[in-house]
Amino acid sequence: MIKSILTKKILYWYDNNKRSLPWRKKLTQIKREYYTLVSEFMLQQTQVVTVIPYFNNFIKDIPNISSLAKINEHKLLKYWEGLGYYSRVRNLKKTAQILEKDFKGRLPSTIEELKLLPGIGEYTANAIMAISFNKPFIPLDGNIERVIKRLLNLKLISEISKENLSRKKKILGTSVRASDYAQALMEFGALICRPKNPLCSQCPLTKNCKSFKNNDFEIIKVRKKRIDKFYLLNVYKKDNKFLLIKNTKFSFLKNLKMFPMDEIPKHNNVKKTLNFKISNMNMNIIIQFIKIKVSIPNSSWIDGTKLDSYTLPTFTKKIFSHLKKN
Ligand code: SF4
């Protein structure tokens, strides 16, 4: 009974407050599958407002699974430049190729088959089942997790584990409008039950919410500890040209252009290092300038005055701006 009241309240709120997003337009089933696939890959690790222009640009030029399966990788990366986490777009293309070859360009409609596709894990598979196929699945993203934690006022580490939250999501119930309901929950978490300063005065769920009753809105997160890593980065320069290599050595920024670098043991003089956060790492980078003597495999010279004409990851661009300033 309570579950169905919650569902109705959230859907009612959604119908009156949802944002107009390009992947929420009225679409044919084929387009819905493709738009969901692309938007969900882009939304992994990236916020909705950032994704919108990237999504529009991507869909305009790569309008379906077949064109995505065929596009040349260099061109494809251009559409992702600035979004980061490039393994997502490579997996997206691999998935499109499998769909073209084995599924006649459509998405499979079982969660087991979806999870076998590159880049599709538990969350994305649940999102596709709900959003594309209107099946009663609830994808547990950060927004929905937070709504569950607040509704039940969960605080203990054992209470906020993924496993426990997966069990507790049944309090949200299901709806015949499964596609809308999954999106409604995400939207509600993003716009009303926000991480900081939830808008309880506009919330239809105050009567169902233990955090509201207890006046306790703090959210406890299980944080993965970042690992400190140290690198020596080599800058080879000839006039305005800089030598970059295609990265085949490190698991991050795979196959993308970067300055040659090596991992080194912990360096004590951290003041001299440049710091970046990439996935679960705190990268500490020491830069050294080197005169080129030997040829370096997989390398190319990049004109430092025409950086916009190359596909470079943000990491490499940030090194360039640091070099400019110093
Ligand atoms: S009452 Fe406040 S804390 Fe509870 S669900 Fe609504 S917005 Fe979130």
Side-chain angles (χ1 to χ4, degrees):
M1 178 67 178
I2 290 174
K3 280 193 258 178
S4 68
I5 292 171
L6 265 183
T7 310
K8 274 185 195 152
K9 283 181 178 175
I10 291 172
L11 276 170
Y12 183 79
W13 172 87
Y14 179 68
D15 290 340
N16 291 292
N17 296 284
K18 69 176 171 228
R19 287 172 288 185
S20 156
L21 302 177
W23 50 91
R24 279 192 188 147
K25 285 192 294 202
K26 230 179 179 334
L27 298 164
T28 59
Q29 179 57 26
I30 294 186
K31 278 204 168 167
R32 170 156 309 285
E33 289 170 23
Y34 183 59
Y35 280 38
T36 307
L37 183 72
V38 175
S39 61
E40 284 303 328
F41 268 71
M42 286 186 170
L43 288 164
Q44 293 167 3
Q45 328 270 356
T46 312
Q47 298 207 330
V48 168
V49 276
T50 310
V51 162
I52 294 171
Y54 282 91
F55 178 86
N56 285 333
N57 200 27
F58 193 99
I59 290 289
K60 179 165 66 69
D61 295 345
I62 315 171
N64 49 40
I65 286 187
S66 158
S67 51
L68 175 56
K70 284 185 215 124
I71 192 167
N72 141 312
E73 179 161 324
H74 176 71
K75 265 193 191 167
L76 180 62
L77 289 178
K78 273 272 170 212
Y79 290 92
W80 212 267
E81 209 177 285
L83 272 180
Y85 298 96
Y86 289 84
S87 57
R88 290 183 291 177
V89 69
R90 293 208 175 87
N91 281 332
L92 182 59
K93 181 175 170 178
K94 282 185 207 155
T95 284
Q97 287 172 325
I98 296 171
L99 297 179
E100 254 318 76
K101 186 167 152 280
D102 299 337
F103 294 91
K104 297 183 179 155
R106 304 292 298 269
L107 277 171
S109 59
T110 69
I111 193 152
E112 293 77 18
E113 285 174 301
L114 282 168
K115 283 200 271 188
L116 292 175
L117 294 166
I120 299 191
E122 187 66 28
Y123 164 76
T124 307
N126 273 269
I128 292 173
M129 287 304 290
I131 298 169
S132 277
F133 298 114
N134 200 38
K135 295 274 163 57
F137 285 77
I138 293 191
L140 214 48
D141 74 341
N143 287 318
I144 300 184
E145 284 187 359
R146 187 171 55 258
V147 172
I148 298 172
K149 287 182 199 171
R150 289 242 175 85
L151 287 172
L152 299 175
N153 200 213
L154 304 179
K155 296 275 163 176
L156 300 174
I157 295 291
S158 58
E159 291 175 331
I160 61 173
S161 66
K162 267 264 180 245
E163 296 72 37
N164 194 47
L165 293 174
S166 288
R167 281 193 291 274
K168 295 292 180 194
K169 73 179 178 183
K170 63 177 183 289
I171 63 148
L172 301 171
T174 54
S175 166
V176 284
R177 292 174 59 197
S179 176
D180 287 340
Y181 191 44
Q183 296 180 78
L185 285 164
M186 295 177 195
E187 191 83 329
F188 176 76
L191 301 184
I192 298 289
C193 198
R194 308 179 304 190
K196 284 183 192 152
N197 308 321
L199 296 175
C200 304
S201 60
Q202 297 173 34
C203 175
L205 307 182
T206 46
K207 283 190 184 148
N208 316 89
C209 177
K210 287 195 180 154
S211 290
F212 185 77
K213 275 182 205 147
N214 297 350
N215 196 24
D216 172 10
F217 305 104
E218 191 199 1
I219 285 294
I220 313 279
K221 284 187 182 171
V222 187
R223 284 199 187 279
K224 280 193 196 144
K225 206 171 173 299
R226 285 184 189 271
I227 312 160
D228 265 316
K229 296 249 189 184
F230 293 81
Y231 296 89
L232 184 62
L233 180 144
N234 299 317
V235 177
Y236 299 92
K237 190 170 179 241
K238 253 198 293 187
D239 306 322
N240 281 327
K241 297 211 164 118
F242 295 83
L243 185 131
L244 299 186
I245 50 154
K246 189 172 169 186
N247 169 37
T248 49
K249 185 158 52 170
F250 302 110
S251 57
F252 51 90
L253 304 177
K254 210 154 196 153
N255 293 325
L256 296 174
K257 285 191 166 68
M258 65 196 303
F259 287 89
M261 59 183 210
D262 295 296
E263 192 174 345
I264 54 170
K266 185 173 176 351
H267 198 275
N268 288 330
N269 197 349
V270 283
K271 276 190 188 153
K272 283 201 163 168
T273 63
L274 251 184
N275 305 101
F276 289 95
K277 289 185 179 23
I278 290 192
S279 29
N280 66 339
M281 281 187 294
N282 274 328
M283 295 178 83
N284 300 281
I285 294 173
I286 299 163
I287 296 183
Q288 67 175 358
F289 287 82
I290 295 207
K291 285 201 174 134
I292 191 138
K293 289 191 186 118
V294 287
S295 65
I296 296 181
N298 263 334
S299 65
S300 52
W301 289 95
I302 297 291
D303 187 337
T305 61
K306 293 180 185 160
L307 291 180
D308 284 346
S309 58
Y310 303 98
T311 304
L312 299 176
T314 307
F315 172 72
T316 304
K317 285 183 183 165
K318 282 187 179 166
I319 302 280
F320 270 115
S321 35
H322 172 80
L323 293 175
K324 251 189 212 166
K325 281 187 223 148
N326 292 279

